[in-house]
């Protein structure tokens, strides 16, 4: 049974009761009623035909919950992944064209396969290399890009350059036509209603209510015949599962970088939601299993003829808020999408595009968090710099948004390596409390006359070993009277080959000068290395102290008659 549950993790779900099924049915239908219009909106954001949003909300949402780790995570179309899809494909094809759709399908397949392989090979920790600072900078920039991209549809302006949009706005202001005025009312009115509903009645499916009201008004006034933008005809029926047509090698290569970015960014987005949701059965969240679920969901979306999907924070929060208890709620949400695809696509014909823009814009407002930059900067200057650099690079690199992520990632790695290559290395003195403190900071005397005590707050590796070696040799040149060098190893978690060679060479050099080398507080894994390499015998067991207190007592006791190491 254990092997089966690894292959089919949904078999671990608790047996549903009548009460839990009622709760999950209510939650699932509530989320489903929100999902249908959101899916259409996010399809337009990705440059895809509206029906592909429903395809992405059907099978992928079920696959993601069945093979994922979090039973309450709502999987489907989301704003950030849709934007990344649009940005990746914009240089390659015309939005909405058959070639665009084919590229989106391949992009979804690639991103899904990458996530699946990372999860299957238990390499989920790789996602941790994309730091929170990079994610913060990118999400804030992406949210701003999404808002700006939806302004033309929201305000009824011609899409294109900023100058073209400005000229269109001036023309409408000089001669306001009915279609433009209605577009403004649909867009801004829907935005206002959604914001009010979110604040006053968050349990209601506000997106659905606004869509129904706008669709009815649009049909009654003949908004489409005025020249207003509507969703138009959406074909009914289920998606046909098929492998996409082949592409040339160069196109495949151009999709791979974007697929890696989507795989990492979308997973961190899903991860931020899944980590905060308590599992109903008490199981801990498993990032490798979630990668498998998210990857299979993207593959299912591609085979359904749709675009990459991810975990939605807003729909997950709604799912939890309205009382979902298990993954059954996602199945009910999928049922809602299925019914819409089979019977109600005609009802969406008159839905104004301005309303879709409002559906996209309102949740995105919550992604813009300037204070997050301030918090990162206060916690770590490096993180603040990385977040701002990622934000700026993402805005500058439009439509090639992956350069923003790569910029932040590389900068974070460089700063990480720089900090590791320049660890805190201090000389220690004896405090009145009997502990060792930083001599320069606290103005304390040395442990004993002729004793140099130091501590490095890092592992002793090929990066840090030369720094310690230089520090000790420079102090010996400055203070010829030193007779003992005590290295406090309590902060050293590991020693590599370069570290052991440095200690061996240092011990030999100190012995020639009549100076004793002692180590204190070394951890077991460090002592194991010293014994395996013979360095413990070379230094001498009398010079290996269990802790700093023993070292202080021994060195202070022998200070007046300190003799060279034999």
């Amino acid at each position: 049974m254990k092997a089966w549950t690894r292959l089919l993790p949904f078999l671990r779900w608790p047996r549903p009761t009548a009460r839990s099924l009622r709760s999950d049915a209510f939650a699932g239908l509530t989320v489903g009623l929100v999902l249908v219009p959101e899916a259409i909106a996010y399809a337009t954001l990705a440059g895809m035909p509206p029906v592909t949003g429903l395809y992405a909300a059907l099978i992928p949402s079920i696959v993601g919950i069945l093979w994922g780790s979090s039973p309450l995570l709502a999987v489907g179309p989301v704003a950030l992944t849709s934007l990344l899809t649009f940005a990746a494909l914009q240089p390659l094809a015309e939005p909405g064209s058959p070639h665009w759709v084919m590229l989106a399908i391949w992009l979804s397949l690639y991103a899904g396969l990458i996530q699946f392989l990372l999860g299957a090979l238990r390499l989920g920790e790789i996602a941790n290399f994309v730091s929170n600072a990079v994610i913060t900078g990118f999400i804030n920039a992406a949210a701003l890009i999404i808002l700006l991209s939806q302004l033309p549809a929201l305000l009824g302006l011609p899409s294109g350059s900023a100058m073209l949009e400005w000229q269109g706005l001036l023309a409408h202001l000089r001669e306001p036509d009915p279609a433009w005025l209605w577009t403004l009312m649909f867009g801004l009115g829907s935005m206002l209603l959604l914001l009010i509903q979110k604040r006053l009645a968050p349990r209601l499916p506000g997106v659905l209510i606004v869509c129904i009201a706008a669709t009815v008004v649009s049909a009654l006034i003949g908004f489409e015949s005025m020249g207003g933008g509507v969703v138009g005809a959406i074909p009914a029926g289920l998606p046909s599962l098929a492998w996409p047509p082949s592409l040339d090698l160069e196109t495949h290569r151009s999709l791979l970088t974007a697929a890696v970015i989507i795989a990492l960014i979308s997973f961190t987005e899903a991860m931020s939601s899944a980590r905060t949701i308590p599992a109903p059965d008490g199981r801990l969240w498993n990032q490798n299993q979630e990668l498998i679920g998210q990857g299979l969901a993207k593959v299912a979306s591609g085979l359904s003829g749709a675009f990459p999907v991810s975990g939605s924070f807003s729909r997950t929060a709604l799912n939890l808020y309205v009382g979902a208890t298990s993954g059954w709620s996602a199945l009910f949400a999928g049922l809602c999408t299925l019914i819409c695809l089979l019977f109600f696509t005609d009802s969406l014909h008159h839905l104004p595009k301005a309303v879709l823009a409002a559906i996209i814009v309102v949740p995105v407002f919550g992604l813009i968090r300037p204070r997050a930059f301030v918090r990162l900067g206060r916690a770590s200057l490096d993180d603040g710099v990385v977040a701002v650099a990622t934000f700026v690079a993402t805005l500058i690199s439009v439509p090639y948004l992956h350069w923003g992520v790569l910029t932040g990632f590389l900068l974070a790695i460089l700063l990480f390596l720089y900090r590791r290559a320049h660890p805190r290395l201090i000389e220690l003195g004896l405090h009145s409390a009997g502990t060792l403190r930083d001599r320069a900071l606290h103005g304390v005397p040395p442990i004993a006359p002729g004793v140099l005590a130091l501590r490095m707050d890092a592992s002793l590796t090929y990066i840090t070993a030369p720094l310690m070696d230089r520090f000790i040799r420079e102090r010996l040149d400055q203070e010829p009277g030193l007779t003992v060098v005590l290295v406090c190893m309590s902060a050293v978690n590991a020693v590599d080959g370069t570290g052991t060679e440095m200690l061996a060479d240092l011990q030999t050099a100190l012995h020639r000068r009549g100076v004793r080398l002692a180590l204190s507080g070394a951890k077991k894994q460090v002592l194991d290395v010293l014994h395996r390499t013979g360095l413990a015998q070379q230094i001498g067991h009398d010079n290996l102290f269990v802790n700093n207190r023993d070292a202080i007592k021994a060195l202070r006791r022998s200070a007046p008659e300190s003799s060279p190491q034999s």
Side-chain angles (χ1 to χ4, degrees), residues 55-375:
Y55 294 165
L58 183 58
I59 299 177
S61 65
I62 297 173
V63 170
I65 206 69
L66 290 179
W67 274 272
S69 173
S70 176
L72 301 182
L73 181 65
V75 180
V78 296
L80 188 57
T81 305
S82 296
L83 174 67
L84 286 169
T85 300
F86 185 89
L89 303 184
Q90 190 176 5
L92 304 175
E94 181 69 23
S97 65
H99 188 54
W100 179 284
V101 174
M102 184 171 61
L103 293 176
I105 292 171
W106 276 107
L107 185 62
S108 187
L109 292 173
Y110 275 136
L113 288 173
I114 290 169
Q115 287 187 327
F116 176 81
L117 289 174
L118 288 176
L121 297 175
R122 301 186 181 279
L123 297 174
E125 290 80 5
I126 288 179
N128 298 334
F129 282 87
V130 183
S131 70
N132 184 49
V134 175
I135 297 298
T136 298
F138 180 76
I139 287 180
N140 277 272
L144 189 58
I145 293 168
I146 291 173
L147 290 178
L148 294 176
S149 71
Q150 294 306 302
L151 282 180
L154 191 68
L155 303 178
L157 304 176
S159 58
S161 64
M163 181 58 68
L164 182 63
E165 294 172 8
W166 176 249
Q167 291 173 349
L169 177 61
L170 292 178
H172 283 306
L173 289 174
R174 285 194 299 267
E175 298 180 14
D177 58 274
W180 179 67
L181 293 175
W182 276 107
T183 299
L184 279 182
M185 284 189 280
F186 281 129
L188 300 180
S190 298
M191 221 171 71
L192 181 62
L193 289 174
L194 289 172
L195 289 171
I196 293 174
Q197 174 268 328
K198 186 178 179 181
R199 185 174 184 84
L200 300 181
R203 294 175 68 96
L204 292 177
V207 172
L208 178 69
I209 295 170
V210 167
C211 286
I212 291 175
T215 302
V216 170
V217 173
S218 171
L220 290 176
I221 66 173
F223 181 61
E224 184 180 12
S225 61
M226 294 180 191
V230 296
V231 169
I234 297 179
L238 299 178
S240 56
L241 299 179
W243 191 260
S246 60
L247 300 173
D248 60 85
L249 183 60
E250 190 58 38
T251 305
H252 280 294
R253 286 177 178 171
S254 63
L255 291 176
L256 280 177
T257 301
V260 171
I261 297 299
I262 288 176
L264 293 176
I265 296 297
S266 68
F267 180 63
T268 55
E269 184 181 23
M271 189 167 58
S272 65
S273 300
R275 278 178 171 171
T276 60
I277 303 170
D281 56 359
R283 285 185 294 110
L284 293 176
W285 179 73
N286 186 317
Q287 62 182 4
N288 290 314
Q289 187 62 54
E290 193 60 51
L291 270 170
I292 292 174
Q294 291 288 316
L296 290 177
K298 286 180 174 62
V299 170
S301 186
L303 296 178
S304 301
F307 50 95
V309 296
S310 184
S312 167
F313 182 80
S314 60
R315 292 197 299 272
T316 299
L318 176 63
N319 194 32
L320 190 63
Y321 187 73
V322 294
T325 63
S326 71
W328 283 93
S329 62
L331 303 183
F332 284 109
L335 177 63
C336 200
T337 306
L338 175 64
I339 293 172
C340 178
L341 267 170
L342 292 177
F343 305 110
F344 293 104
T345 53
D346 289 342
S347 304
L348 298 169
H349 181 102
H350 293 284
L351 179 61
K353 290 184 177 179
V355 176
L356 296 181
I359 293 172
I360 294 171
V361 164
V362 170
V364 167
F365 278 133
L367 298 178
I368 300 178
R369 297 178 298 158
R371 291 183 180 178
F373 293 92
V374 178
R375 286 196 300 271

Side-chain angles (χ1 to χ4, degrees), residues 133-134 136-137 373-374 376 382-394 411:
V134 175
T136 298
F373 293 92
V374 178
L376 284 171
D382 289 356
D383 281 352
V385 170
V386 168
V388 172
T390 304
F391 177 81
V392 174
T394 302
L411 182 59

Side-chain angles (χ1 to χ4, degrees), residues 290-493:
E290 193 60 51
L291 270 170
I292 292 174
Q294 291 288 316
L296 290 177
K298 286 180 174 62
V299 170
S301 186
L303 296 178
S304 301
F307 50 95
V309 296
S310 184
S312 167
F313 182 80
S314 60
R315 292 197 299 272
T316 299
L318 176 63
N319 194 32
L320 190 63
Y321 187 73
V322 294
T325 63
S326 71
W328 283 93
S329 62
L331 303 183
F332 284 109
L335 177 63
C336 200
T337 306
L338 175 64
I339 293 172
C340 178
L341 267 170
L342 292 177
F343 305 110
F344 293 104
T345 53
D346 289 342
S347 304
L348 298 169
H349 181 102
H350 293 284
L351 179 61
K353 290 184 177 179
V355 176
L356 296 181
I359 293 172
I360 294 171
V361 164
V362 170
V364 167
F365 278 133
L367 298 178
I368 300 178
R369 297 178 298 158
R371 291 183 180 178
F373 293 92
V374 178
R375 286 196 300 271
L376 284 171
R378 286 175 177 171
S380 167
L381 180 61
D382 289 356
D383 281 352
V385 170
V386 168
V388 172
T390 304
F391 177 81
V392 174
T394 302
L395 293 179
I396 292 175
S397 62
V398 173
Y400 305 99
L401 301 186
H402 59 273
W403 287 113
V405 178
L406 290 175
T407 299
F409 173 77
L410 292 175
L411 182 59
I413 292 295
L414 288 174
L415 289 174
F416 175 84
L417 292 176
Y418 177 83
R419 295 302 178 194
R420 294 307 176 274
H422 297 79
R424 186 167 178 252
L425 182 58
I426 57 173
E427 181 183 354
L428 299 172
L430 186 60
H431 193 265
S432 57
T435 57
L436 297 179
R437 301 288 179 86
D438 185 344
R439 284 197 66 193
L441 184 63
H442 296 280
V444 293
I447 292 176
V451 175
L452 169 65
L454 64 129
R455 187 188 73 219
M456 183 172 68
D457 296 337
S459 294
L460 194 59
T461 65
Y462 70 98
I463 296 177
T464 59
L467 299 176
M468 179 183 286
D469 184 66
R470 174 182 288 271
F471 181 88
I472 293 173
R473 292 177 188 271
E474 287 180 349
R475 291 303 307 273
L476 286 171
D477 291 339
Q478 295 168 6
E479 300 181 38
L482 289 175
T483 57
V484 180
V485 172
L486 171 66
V487 180
C488 300
M489 304 284 284
S490 56
V492 177
N493 291 319

